[in-house]
Amino acid sequence: MLLGSGLLVAAELGSPCPPGGPLAFGSCTAVRPFAVGVVLLAAALYVIGLTAVLAWTRSLRRRSLADGRAARDWYLLAAGLGLPAAALLAFTLASGLR
């Protein structure tokens, strides 16, 4: 996730201003800094969220409240639902701080 978002940001910042990169859609002055911030914040939120779920499932396994399969299922559920949730939360936070 971090590598993919880093490559996306590098492609955005390496592209010429007009027509713009894959994130800014040609608006280099207004959209580019905002889009880069949203992508980096979404990646950080996603990794933090998955790390928290991993720690939670490890504590469940340590207390014998879940087995390995249940821990994997929770992790996969968090990974699938966390991707759009992290992007939406990052967009909301970046818009609010703007």
Side-chain angles (χ1 to χ4, degrees):
M1 180 65 183
L2 294 176
L3 179 65
S5 62
L7 290 173
L8 188 61
V9 168
E12 174 65 36
L13 295 177
S15 64
C17 200
L23 297 174
F25 302 119
S27 179
C28 296
T29 57
V31 177
R32 183 178 268 183
F34 179 73
V36 169
V38 167
V39 168
L40 294 177
L41 183 59
L45 289 172
Y46 186 72
V47 170
I48 290 168
L50 285 183
T51 303
V53 169
L54 187 61
W56 175 65
T57 56
R58 282 184 181 163
S59 72
L60 288 178
R61 290 185 68 194
R62 187 176 56 247
R63 293 182 287 159
S64 299
L65 297 174
D67 59 349
R69 184 175 179 172
R72 185 196 71 226
D73 290 346
W74 276 110
Y75 186 80
L76 290 175
L77 180 68
L81 295 177
L83 195 58
L88 291 172
L89 181 60
F91 182 79
T92 303
L93 288 173
S95 296
L97 295 174
R98 197 170 166 184

